[in-house]
């Protein structure tokens, strides 16, 4: 597996150790990680700190040209909010650990020219399935689903 996805998975595991949702992300520019993060909605009581948003926040202010040359790695398919940020900043490529437990806005991203690579990582799938079975109420709160 790619070294950068390994780092995104490391972020996801860190989030889980902190009592949060195990979704991690890193942003890579010219072969170097410039931002890393994990879902911290639970830890920070935040409405927006998904893994991708946390990684973007941790990049600090960057010129638009940096984002247009970057790759975002995420352990889970990006939701509407995170996909919007990917489009806003013009990130051209997203590497996704898995989209089995949650299918995000991949069609939208592709329609706007974003190159997506889906890894179907068993480690990412198992990590999310385990979390969802243990904490369905937190998972459903985070993605806006209901138990209908």
């Amino acid at each position: 597996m790619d070294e950068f996805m390994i780092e995104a998975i490391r972020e996801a595991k860190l989030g889980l150790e902190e009592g949060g949702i195990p979704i991690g992300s890193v942003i890579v520019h010219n072969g170097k990680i410039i931002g890393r993060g994990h879902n911290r909605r639970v830890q920070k009581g935040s409405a927006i700190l998904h893994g991708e948003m946390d990684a973007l926040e941790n990049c600090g202010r960057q010129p638009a040209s940096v984002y247009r040359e970057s790759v975002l790695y995420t352990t889970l398919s990006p939701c509407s909010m995170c996909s919007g940020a990917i489009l806003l900043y013009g990130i051209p490529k997203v590497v996704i650990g898995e989209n089995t437990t949650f299918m995000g806005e991949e069609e939208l991203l592709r329609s706007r020219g974003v190159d997506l690579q889906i890894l179907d990582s068993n480690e990412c799938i198992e990590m999310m399935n385990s979390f969802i079975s243990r904490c369905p109420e937190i998972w459903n709160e985070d993605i806006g689903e209901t138990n209908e």
Side-chain angles (χ1 to χ4, degrees):
M1 184 177 299
D2 180 293
E3 67 179 292
F4 299 120
M5 183 54 67
I6 290 169
E7 288 301 312
I9 291 169
R10 185 172 288 142
E11 284 292 325
K13 290 177 178 176
L14 180 58
L16 187 60
E17 289 169 14
E18 294 172 353
I21 301 163
I23 303 168
S25 183
V26 297
I27 300 171
V28 177
H29 180 256
N30 290 334
K32 179 181 175 222
I33 294 174
I34 61 169
R36 58 175 59 238
H38 50 273
N39 187 302
R40 296 194 303 164
R41 290 187 73 247
V42 173
Q43 300 92 309
K44 297 283 189 178
S46 171
I48 62 168
L49 278 181
H50 284 189
E52 300 90 337
M53 301 300 279
D54 193 38
L56 278 166
E57 178 70 16
N58 290 327
C59 282
R61 289 180 64 191
Q62 299 291 331
S65 60
V66 169
Y67 295 116
R68 288 193 300 263
E69 297 173 344
S70 293
V71 179
L72 185 143
Y73 289 76
T74 182
T75 59
L76 186 65
S77 185
C79 73
S80 301
M81 176 179 62
C82 297
S83 294
I86 290 164
L87 294 175
L88 176 68
Y89 289 103
I91 297 171
K93 182 173 181 177
V94 178
V95 180
I96 299 169
E98 66 105 345
N99 62 4
T100 302
T101 60
F102 176 75
M103 171 65 75
E105 296 294 332
E106 294 175 19
E107 189 175 319
L108 170 65
L109 291 169
R110 281 191 186 101
S111 78
R112 299 283 295 274
V114 178
D115 176 20
L116 299 184
Q117 182 180 357
I118 316 298
L119 300 181
D120 291 321
S121 161
N122 286 331
E123 185 174 8
C124 291
I125 294 168
E126 290 170 14
M127 186 167 42
M128 285 309 306
N129 277 332
S130 175
F131 178 80
I132 292 167
S133 68
R134 282 191 334 272
C135 305
E137 66 290 342
I138 295 173
W139 170 246
N140 290 325
E141 170 194 316
D142 192 57
I143 62 166
E145 296 291 320
T146 60
N147 292 323
E148 298 178 323

